[in-house]
Amino acid sequence: MRQGPVLGVLSTWFGGTYFGGLLGGMQAGVASRDGRLIAVQTLDAGTFRLDFDQAPTFDHRVAWEHIDGFVIFLNGAGSAYLREARRSGRPVVVISDNADGVSCPTIAPDNRAGTAAAVRHLIEHGHTRIAFAGHPDQVDTGERYEAYRETLRAAGLPVDDRLFYETGDMQQPGGERAARRMLADGLPSTAVMCGNDQNAIGVLRVLGEAGYDLPAAQAVIGFDDLPDSASMIPSLTTVRQPLDQIGELAVDLVARMLRGDPVRNEQHRVATGLVVRESCGCPGPLALASGPADGQGGPDRLLADIRRAVDANMPAWSTAGHSAELEMSVKGVAAVLADAATGLPTPTGTELRRLLQPVARRLENYEVAVAVMRLFRDYGRALRSSEDLVYQIFVVLAQAQSSFQVAHGRSTMSALGTQYSVSMQLLRSQERDPRSLDWLRATDIRGGCLGLWPDEPEASRRVLDVIATYDGKAGMPGCGRLEIERFPPTELIDRVDVAAQEMIFVAHLKVDNGDWGMLALVGPIQAGLAEGRETMNQWAALLSVALEHDSVLQTLREQEEVLRRAALYDDLTGLPNRSHFRDRLMLAMGRARQYAVLLLDLDGFKLVNDSLGHEAGDRLLQEVARRVTVELRVNEAAARLGGDEFAVLIEDFGGPDVPAVLAERLQAAVSAPCRLGDTDVAVTASIGIAVGADSYGDTQAVMRDADAAMYFAKSSGKRAHALFVPSMHESALDRLRTGAELRNAIGDGQLELFYQPIVALDSGVVCGVEALLRWRHPTRGLLVPPVFLPIAEESDLGVKIGTWVLREASRQVAEWGRPGIRMSVNVSNRQFWHGDLIADLVATGVDPALLAVEITEGVIMHDVRHATRVIAELTAMGVEVHIDDFGTGYSSLEALHDLPFDALKIDRSFVSRSTGSLRSRELVRTIVAMGLNLGLKVIAEGIETVEEQQLVRELGCTHGQGYLFSRPVPAHLMPW
C-alpha cells in the first residue's frame, strides 16, 4: 500500500523525449517519497506532435479523489481548471507556461541565460547577421526570442526584424518552412538561433538539401538538446535544459506545499548550458583531436574526467550504487595501460571486455562514448602505452555503443510489433469486443481499466461505468459505476511499481466527435525512448475508433432489424405483412400436404373510421389483430395485408371442414363488441377461403381466389364466409368491367339524375328536391347507385362523379326556376375530404340559396374541426347543410351541437319500423325533439304509407320524403 503523495500530471500529450524527460525526473522524485504519478492527457486520443497556443477545453476532474497535487506541462490545462484545483486545496505547479489568473509556482528553464550564451557564442565566431527562427507564441520560445534581441543590442548589433522567421509550431516542419523562406530571401543571415531543436533540425535539413555547406554558409544553434541533435550532420550545437531536474523540482515544490512549507508563487528557474558541437562552426565533441598528454593526476584524474563526461549526459550514473564499479573499472584499465607501457603482459580480448564492461554500460549516449575513448587514448599516450591496446579499448567501447543502438532498434521494432498486434485486434472489433481489454495481453501493460460514459443524459460527464479491468494477464469485468473523481479505482493505483519506474496513464477516449470515456493504464514511463507515452496514446485512439466502429455496427444492426421488421411486419399490428405472408404461403405450397388461405375484410370498418376518426380505427385494427392471433393454433399464421384486410394461412389441417370452422371461430371473435373511448363498436368480417390445389402455380393465384371468395361473401351480407369456386371469377371480373365501363360512362353521357320531392308535412307542398344518380348502361339498363358507387368510391371516380352530379343538379334547379325549391345533393366522404367542394359549388354559377348539401354524420366525424370550418363556409355562402341518414353513425352529440347545419334527415330504417316498434318510435321522437330544440328542420326519409306519414307528423317531423309522395323520376316527370 502506498504511503507517499499521488501527483496528477496534466499535459496535451506525453510523447517524445521532452515529456518523457520531465516524467522521468518527476518519477525519481515521487519514487523517493513512495508516491505515484497519474498522467492525464488533456487532448483527444491520437493527437500527435501538435503545438497549441491555447490550452484544450478539458474540464474532467479525473482522479481528483486520488490526486494530492497537480503538475501542469506547458498549457496542458486552462486557467479555469487550475483555479478550480487551487480552490480544492491542492497544490498546483506549472512547467514552462504562464498560469494567467492563477496564483501558483511555475518552473521554467533559464531560457534567457541559455539563449544569451548561444548568441554570444555565434558573435564570438564573427557573426553579425544572426537570424531567429521560432514560434514565440509558446512561452519558452517567447523568452528565448526576447533574450536573442537583448543579447544583440548588448553586443552593439542591430536587431533586424526582417531576420525573424516564424515557424508556426515547435516541430521540424515549422523549421523547414522557415528555412525555405530564408532561401527565398536570399539567405540574408550568416547564422540562425532557433527556438528549439526540432525547428533547428528542420532548418539544417532544408539548407543542406539545398546544397549549402553548413556551418560555413549558415551556422545553426538549437535549444533542448534532443537525442537527434548529436546525430545530425553537422551535429547540432544546442542549449541543454535539464528536464529531469525540472521534473524533480516540480515534485519537490508540490511536496513542500503538501507539508505546509512556505513556497513562493513565483517563477523558479533551472540553469541551462550551451552544448557545443559542429553546427556553430566548432570541431565538436566527436572530434578525436588529442588533448594535453601529460598524464598528470594518474588514475584518479582519469576517473574524475570520465565521470564528468558520463554525468554530463547521464547524471543518474553518478549515484552511489554505480560509483564503486565505475571506479574499479576505470582504475583497472589505467593499470593495464601502465603495464603495457612498461612491457608487462596485457589481458586477452575477453578479459579486457570484462574489465571494460562497467564503463561500457555507461555508453548509451555515443557522445559519451567518444569522450571516454578520447580520455583513455590521451591517458595511454601520456604513459607511452601500446597503440594496439588503445585500439582494442576503442573496439570494445565501440561494440558496446553499437550494442546499445541495436538494442534500441530492437526495442523500437518490438514497440512497432506490439502496436501492429494491438491495431489488428482493435480494428477487428467486429470479431472481438474491444471493451474486454483482452487486447492488452499483447503489451507490457501491468494493469488497466476502461470507463465509459453512461447512456443516461442526466449522468452527464460526472460518472463513468467501469466495464472492464486488466490485471496484466487477462481482461475482467469492471467494478461498476464510479464518479470521475475516483477514476481510476484505488486498486489500479496500488498496482503501480515505483521501483520499476511505472506510472498511470489516463487518456480521454475522444476522437473527433466521438467521446466514449476514459482509459487508464499502468506501465513504464519509457523516458529514454523517443516515442515516450505515444504508444498508449495511439492505443487510446484505436480503442476510440473501435468503439465508434462498434457503435456504428450496433446502430446498423438495429437499423437492419428495423428495416427487416418494416419489410416483413406490419407496423401497426405487429403481424406479418403482405410480403411476409406471401413468402410463408410459398413455403407452404412447397412443403405442406394441404393448406388454405382465409382472407378477412372487416364489415363496417369504414363507418368506424369515418365516425370516430383514424386513431380509433387504428385501435380497432390492433384489437382485431389480437383477437385473430388468440384464435390461431400451431399450424395457423395471421397477417395484415393492408387497410382492414387480414389473412390467415392454415397448413396440414385434419379435414375439409377445418377452414370453414376456423372462419366461423374468427368471425365470432372479431364481431364481439369493442370499447373505443366512450363508444362500444362492433364490426364483422367477410371471409373468403381458397383451399390449396395442384392447379395453383404461384401465391398470386391463391390470393386472387381467396379475394374473389371474400367479395362474394361480402355481397351475400355481413358476417359471411365463402369457399372459392371457379364461378366467383365471373363476379370479380364483373366488378373489374364495371369499373372500366363506369370510367367511360362519365364522358359518354350515360349518367343521369332522377329527382325525388321533399314535402312539407303540414301543407303537402313540395319545397325541395333530392338529386339521385342513375347509370343508363348500354346493355344492362338503368343501374342504381349500390351497383356501381362502391366501385367508384374505391378510386378517383367517386370525386369525378360527385362533381358531375353537383354541376348537373345545379343546372337543373336553375332551369326549373321555381321559387322556394332547394336542390339537395349527396356528398360522399371522398368528395368532401379529397375533392374541392367549395370551388365546385362556386363553379356551378347557381345561386347558393337554391342548394342543400347532404352529408352523413360519419363524414363529418372524420375530422370535426376541419368539417366545422367547411360547413361554416358553406353556410356563409347560403348553401344549406343537411345531416343524412342521421342515427346510423357513431357521432358525438356534443360535436354535432357545435356544427352549423340546417336539417336532420332521419334514416328510412327508423321510419319503416316506427309504426310497429315502440322502441323505434321513441327513437324517432328523440331525434325529432333534439332537431327541433336545435332549431333544425327534421326530414323523415322512406315514407311509404299514410300511417307512417301521420306518425312522423305527430312526432314533430317538419318534412318528409318517400314513395308515398313520389318515386325518383326524371326532371320532366317531376310531380309539382
Side-chain angles (χ1 to χ4, degrees), residues 482-503:
L482 204 64
E483 293 84 358
I484 193 167
E485 289 91 342
R486 296 171 56 200
F487 181 88
T490 303
E491 296 77 12
L492 188 66
I493 299 174
D494 290 338
R495 289 187 63 85
V496 174
D497 185 349
V498 182
Q501 293 188 315
E502 290 181 344
M503 57 173 274

Side-chain angles (χ1 to χ4, degrees), residues 106-247:
T106 61
I107 303 175
D110 194 345
N111 294 301
R112 295 182 181 276
T115 303
V119 175
R120 285 196 299 267
H121 185 74
L122 290 172
I123 294 172
E124 290 169 359
H125 274 285
H127 297 287
T128 59
R129 297 284 294 170
I130 304 173
F132 187 94
H135 182 51
D137 286 351
Q138 199 277 329
V139 172
D140 280 343
T141 308
E143 291 183 353
R144 294 163 193 169
Y145 180 55
E146 289 302 319
Y148 150 83
R149 295 168 63 91
E150 292 169 1
T151 306
L152 289 179
R153 291 192 189 99
L157 296 176
V159 177
D160 189 347
D161 290 336
R162 292 174 298 177
L163 298 182
F164 167 70
Y165 294 94
E166 169 67 65
T167 60
D169 58 36
M170 299 181 69
Q171 307 304 325
Q172 183 176 317
E176 293 172 353
R177 289 191 294 270
R180 283 190 284 271
R181 287 196 295 273
M182 293 168 66
L183 291 174
D185 290 345
L187 202 60
S189 60
T190 60
V192 57
M193 177 71 206
C194 295
N196 70 339
D197 280 1
Q198 291 285 12
N199 285 166
I201 291 171
V203 170
L204 285 172
R205 180 158 296 172
V206 169
L207 295 183
E209 290 174 353
Y212 284 89
D213 181 15
L214 304 176
Q218 190 78 193
V220 181
I221 295 182
F223 204 112
D224 285 341
D225 192 24
L226 298 179
D228 292 347
S229 304
S231 62
M232 294 297 298
I233 300 178
S235 58
L236 179 64
T237 297
T238 182
V239 178
R240 177 177 296 162
Q241 57 169 317
L243 298 175
D244 54 338
Q245 294 179 31
I246 294 174

Side-chain angles (χ1 to χ4, degrees), residues 919-942:
R919 289 173 63 88
S920 295
R921 185 182 305 121
E922 290 304 317
L923 183 59
V924 172
R925 186 194 306 276
T926 300
I927 295 173
V928 171
M930 182 183 69
L932 295 178
N933 288 335
L934 293 174
L936 306 175
K937 292 183 289 187
V938 182
I939 304 170
E941 292 184 296

Side-chain angles (χ1 to χ4, degrees), residues 709-907:
M710 183 272 293
Y711 273 104
F712 182 85
K714 189 176 284 290
S715 65
S716 303
K718 296 180 179 180
R719 193 176 173 177
H721 67 269
L723 182 66
F724 173 78
V725 293
S727 60
M728 292 178 181
H729 275 309
E730 282 301 318
S731 176
L733 290 173
D734 181 64
R735 295 181 70 256
L736 186 63
R737 283 193 298 267
T738 299
E741 292 171 350
L742 183 58
R743 188 172 295 276
N744 295 327
I746 300 173
D748 293 346
Q750 297 174 15
L751 298 182
E752 299 178 8
L753 288 184
F754 278 38
Y755 302 92
Q756 188 175 35
I758 300 173
V759 178
L761 294 179
D762 57 352
S763 64
V765 175
V766 175
C767 57
V769 177
E770 180 179 1
L772 299 170
L773 180 63
R774 299 292 185 268
W775 177 13
R776 194 169 296 280
H777 193 279
T779 58
R780 299 167 64 184
L782 193 64
L783 303 179
V784 294
V787 176
F788 60 87
L789 275 187
I791 299 173
E793 283 295 296
E794 293 176 1
S795 66
D796 61 337
L797 291 177
V799 175
K800 292 182 178 179
I801 291 174
T803 301
W804 180 87
V805 169
L806 183 61
R807 185 171 62 247
E808 178 61 19
S810 298
R811 184 198 62 77
Q812 185 60 61
V813 73
E815 181 180 309
W816 280 332
R818 288 180 171 271
I821 298 298
R822 189 180 292 268
M823 177 70 74
S824 293
V825 180
N826 290 281
V827 174
S828 69
N829 184 314
R830 186 175 289 272
Q831 185 180 6
F832 187 87
W833 292 111
H834 303 292
D836 198 346
L837 181 59
I838 301 298
D840 290 343
L841 283 167
V842 172
T844 64
V846 73
D847 182 0
L850 299 178
L851 297 176
V853 171
E854 295 191 5
I855 308 169
T856 64
E857 55 186 308
V859 171
I860 296 171
M861 294 307 296
H862 175 71
D863 186 339
V864 175
R865 289 186 179 181
H866 183 63
T868 301
R869 289 196 295 271
V870 175
I871 293 173
E873 192 170 352
L874 291 171
T875 302
M877 293 172 61
V879 177
E880 283 194 357
V881 179
H882 298 176
I883 304 299
D884 195 15
D885 300 333
F886 186 77
T888 61
Y890 300 98
S891 60
S892 166
L893 295 181
E894 181 180 356
L896 291 178
H897 182 274
D898 294 331
L899 288 168
F901 55 90
D902 302 283
L904 291 179
K905 296 189 75 173
I906 302 175
D907 187 71

Side-chain angles (χ1 to χ4, degrees), residues 461-614:
R461 295 294 188 259
R462 300 185 303 273
V463 295
L464 288 163
D465 287 332
V466 181
I467 64 168
T469 61
Y470 179 73
D471 66 354
K473 298 179 181 178
M476 298 178 296
C479 58
R481 184 154 294 185
L482 204 64
E483 293 84 358
I484 193 167
E485 289 91 342
R486 296 171 56 200
F487 181 88
T490 303
E491 296 77 12
L492 188 66
I493 299 174
D494 290 338
R495 289 187 63 85
V496 174
D497 185 349
V498 182
Q501 293 188 315
E502 290 181 344
M503 57 173 274
I504 288 183
F505 173 79
V506 179
H508 188 185
L509 297 178
K510 182 177 184 298
V511 174
D512 297 329
N513 295 324
D515 187 354
W516 302 99
M518 299 285 171
L519 173 68
L521 301 174
V522 176
I525 290 180
Q526 302 176 339
L529 296 180
E531 63 270 16
R533 305 307 316 158
E534 187 57 26
T535 51
M536 294 187 187
N537 178 30
Q538 290 303 308
W539 298 344
L542 289 169
L543 177 58
S544 300
V545 173
L547 292 172
E548 177 76 27
H549 182 238
D550 189 64
S551 176
V552 170
L553 286 180
Q554 181 61 30
T555 301
L556 290 176
R557 292 187 195 102
E558 292 171 358
Q559 291 177 348
E560 182 181 4
E561 178 60 20
V562 169
L563 292 174
R564 187 188 72 83
R565 287 200 61 82
L568 300 177
Y569 293 88
D570 171 53
D571 185 55
L572 179 64
T573 64
L575 293 176
N577 61 15
R578 180 184 295 272
S579 175
H580 195 13
F581 184 79
R582 284 186 178 275
D583 290 342
R584 287 190 172 188
L585 176 56
M586 183 178 297
L587 291 174
M589 294 173 68
R591 72 187 176 198
R593 290 173 299 171
Q594 52 185 173
Y595 63 91
V597 170
L598 284 69
L599 197 62
L600 292 76
D601 188 83
L602 301 183
D603 306 315
F605 175 75
K606 185 174 182 297
L607 181 60
V608 174
N609 227 17
D610 292 344
S611 302
L612 301 182
H614 285 291

Side-chain angles (χ1 to χ4, degrees), residues 944-973:
E944 297 185 358
T945 65
V946 174
E947 182 182 6
E948 290 173 353
Q949 177 190 13
Q950 291 174 345
L951 177 62
V952 296
R953 183 176 178 182
E954 291 173 0
L955 293 177
C957 282
T958 57
H959 296 77
Q961 179 181 353
Y963 286 0
L964 178 64
F965 307 111
S966 173
R967 289 178 176 272
V969 295
H972 68 278
L973 298 179

